[in-house]
Amino acid sequence: MSHSASGVLATEGFHAPGPIDFFLPDFTGKSWNQDGYQVLLTKSSLLLVLGAVVAYLFLAMTSRRGKVVPTKGQYLGEQAYSFVRNGVAQDIIGAKDFKRYVPLLVSLFFFIVVNNLFSIVPLLQFAPFSRVSFAYGLAVLVWIVYNTVGIMDKGLLGYLKHSTIPAGVPGWILPLLIPLEFLSNIIIRPITMSLRLFANMFAGHLLLILFSTGGAYLLLHATGSVVLKPAGVFAFALGVAIGFLEVVVALLQAYVFTLLTAQYISGALASEH
Amino acid sequence: MSGSLNMVGYGLAAIGPGVGIGLIFAAYINGTARQPEMQSRLQPIAILGFALAEALAIIGIALAFVIK
């Protein structure tokens, strides 16, 4: 009894990571809202710019001096580009008018991939999209694009009718259906889109912090039981495994974001049946 | 012991999307096993269904942190 009680006591020095760990200080060392202080430029906003630069450089380097027999870099770039162009844009939007949207989809995909992969790059180790405001920004961009595309294609009233009245439903259910469809297609879409990207990066980064700081605490400071130090080693091993999982999540979330963008554009363009 | 009961609630709320995502990928694997040439057609549909089911868990985690 006393043994387990001391084990519980020993964990009181450990501070579990939480959302507060994502409010990084800026380069003067002060944190957000410390005595009403407004941060100017943080690591996350710099990483966002770096992400755009790296994504541009990757595409520019792999597509410059294209050869008939491609080098390894050119092959990688072409494979990734044609994955988005053919696998996402062409398949979802359709062969007729997907070409206009390929630049948007390709740049979205590479921008998000590079930014997400920052979460496991040593020394950087922070995914900008684990701050929700950046994800909101991207979702607002997509929201503007698919609504504009729909309005330009069908006119304002036509687009509203197209996106709120599904084809082939009986008239008596329309008073219920129109507000629901409007809510789901116009209001909720950008919110779920940004929250999906944000929450995946957030949860992954939180897990990494938890396993690394918890593992360090168990190894170095925890006393009271012989199983705590092996548990610390186990926590570190699990943290490494989570790091690999993060790579998969980073690629998957970029793919999902691009896929949903294409899906919404294709939904706004679809003709009435 | 300290912490927020919200997280217990989120854990319970994540059961639904977890089962849903499992069903989606079960159907995707099943379809691919029966007809391997359909894999490229099924993949975007499966990922899209996964993303939509996952949205519920995502809304849950956002609310778990937001609601006091």
Side-chain angles (χ1 to χ4, degrees):
Chain A
M1 196 67 188
S2 63
H3 190 75
S4 67
S6 68
V8 171
L9 274 181
T11 61
E12 276 182 359
F14 176 66
H15 293 287
I20 196 71
D21 291 311
F22 289 79
F23 289 81
L24 300 176
D26 66 3
F27 291 103
T28 60
K30 282 188 191 163
S31 289
W32 177 262
N33 244 348
Q34 202 174 33
D35 310 322
Y37 179 73
Q38 308 271 306
V39 289
L40 293 173
L41 189 64
T42 60
K43 182 173 147 189
S44 33
S45 35
L46 273 188
L47 282 181
L48 202 71
V49 178
L50 183 67
V53 171
V54 170
Y56 168 75
L57 283 181
F58 173 74
L59 286 174
M61 304 263 274
T62 53
S63 62
R64 204 181 43 180
R65 289 200 304 268
K67 295 190 185 72
V68 179
V69 180
T71 59
K72 276 178 190 160
Q74 189 192 341
Y75 181 73
L76 182 71
E78 279 175 0
Q79 283 294 306
Y81 172 77
S82 73
F83 169 71
V84 181
R85 182 190 182 274
N86 299 336
V88 177
Q90 198 174 24
D91 281 5
I92 304 280
I93 301 180
K96 193 160 74 78
D97 37 22
F98 76 100
K99 277 195 181 139
R100 288 173 62 194
Y101 307 105
V102 168
L104 172 76
L105 295 171
V106 168
S107 34
L108 265 182
F109 179 77
F110 282 99
F111 183 58
I112 298 173
V113 161
V114 171
N115 272 301
N116 286 353
L117 286 178
F118 280 160
S119 71
I120 46 128
V121 173
L123 300 177
L124 303 177
Q125 279 167 333
F126 191 82
F129 291 119
S130 56
R131 294 299 310 278
V132 72
S133 45
F134 294 137
Y136 283 154
L138 270 193
V140 164
L141 173 78
V142 171
W143 185 80
I144 291 172
V145 166
Y146 81 76
N147 282 315
T148 313
V149 162
I151 290 171
M152 279 167 69
D153 192 53
K154 298 181 165 55
L156 183 59
L157 282 177
Y159 174 65
L160 279 177
K161 180 171 175 290
H162 170 74
S163 60
T164 55
I165 305 177
V169 296
W172 56 269
I173 208 170
L174 283 182
L176 188 66
L177 209 54
I178 288 175
L180 273 180
E181 285 285 311
F182 182 80
L183 209 64
S184 115
N185 288 350
I186 310 286
I187 313 267
I188 306 281
R189 264 181 186 181
I191 300 176
T192 52
M193 208 171 179
S194 51
L195 285 185
R196 176 178 300 115
L197 178 59
F198 152 72
N200 274 288
M201 299 331 290
F202 176 82
H205 196 63
L206 202 60
L207 277 177
L208 282 182
I209 305 178
L210 179 67
F211 281 115
S212 48
T213 58
Y217 182 79
L218 285 173
L219 271 179
L220 298 176
H221 305 294
T223 52
S225 172
V226 286
V227 300
L228 290 182
K229 285 195 198 306
V233 176
F234 182 65
F236 265 126
L238 218 55
V240 174
I242 297 280
F244 284 111
L245 185 71
E246 274 302 280
V247 181
V248 178
V249 170
L251 293 168
L252 187 70
Q253 286 310 312
Y255 175 58
V256 164
F257 198 93
T258 323
L259 191 72
L260 282 175
T261 307
Q263 186 78 36
Y264 294 161
I265 291 174
S266 122
L269 280 175
S271 52
E272 297 288 344
H273 296 294
Chain B
M1 281 284 284
S2 68
S4 169
L5 207 57
N6 285 358
M7 290 305 155
V8 180
Y10 175 61
L12 292 175
I15 294 173
V19 172
I21 291 169
L23 287 175
I24 288 163
F25 279 106
Y28 169 52
I29 294 166
N30 224 325
T32 311
R34 282 162 190 256
Q35 216 156 345
E37 67 270 26
M38 284 294 282
Q39 199 211 358
S40 61
R41 293 274 300 279
L42 292 176
Q43 191 185 6
I45 302 173
I47 299 283
L48 200 71
F50 154 76
L52 294 180
E54 192 201 31
L56 302 173
I58 297 306
I59 293 170
I61 203 174
L63 293 182
F65 278 108
V66 168
I67 294 175
K68 287 277 177 263

